[in-house]
Amino acid sequence: MAVRQAILDDTRAICHLFIASIDRWQRMTADGQVEDVTYDDLSIYDRWLHGGAWMSVETGALWLSHLASGKGLALVHHDQKSITGYAEATISQEAAPYGKHLHINAL
């Protein structure tokens, strides 16, 4: 298996892995109705609402930078041409009885 630590240049490819899991892009209109839209018609916030930071390159780059600064671990699986998988983990501190633990955010 070819696995390595993710770098900022991987952001677009990682985002595409997550975006591919979304069947429908939707948003709420001003009058409270749900409408189907294209990915490009969504704001960055609307994209984030579909699944978090990895729904856009802009927020994905911020999150990956956060992880790379020592706040977690981001790994990519790749073949010779492209990134085919992603794994992410962070160390968290929760209230008792949990305490310090490893949180696997994506696999």
Side-chain angles (χ1 to χ4, degrees):
M1 250 200 204
V3 176
R4 62 170 171 75
Q5 190 165 354
I7 59 172
L8 282 176
D9 285 344
D10 298 327
T11 302
R12 186 172 306 281
I14 297 168
C15 287
H16 284 291
L17 292 173
F18 283 85
I19 289 168
S21 69
I22 304 298
D23 294 327
R24 263 171 123 166
W25 297 99
Q26 298 178 316
R27 69 176 166 207
M28 191 79 73
T29 65
D31 60 350
Q33 300 299 311
V34 175
E35 66 177 342
D36 290 337
V37 294
T38 67
Y39 177 84
D40 292 329
D41 289 334
L42 294 171
S43 68
I44 292 172
Y45 178 68
D46 289 332
R47 293 173 187 172
W48 178 83
L49 288 173
H50 279 81
W54 290 117
M55 292 294 119
S56 73
V57 173
E58 297 85 354
T59 53
L62 291 170
W63 180 241
L64 187 53
S65 177
H66 174 75
L67 293 173
S69 72
K71 305 298 187 217
L73 178 64
L75 302 171
V76 291
H77 174 268
H78 60 94
D79 58 21
Q80 297 301 322
K81 299 177 200 166
S82 62
I83 290 174
T84 56
Y86 176 75
E88 171 182 304
T90 54
I91 295 175
S92 298
Q93 181 69 39
E94 300 289 337
Y98 304 108
K100 193 172 186 176
H101 66 278
L102 179 67
H103 180 74
I104 299 174
N105 302 328
L107 183 59

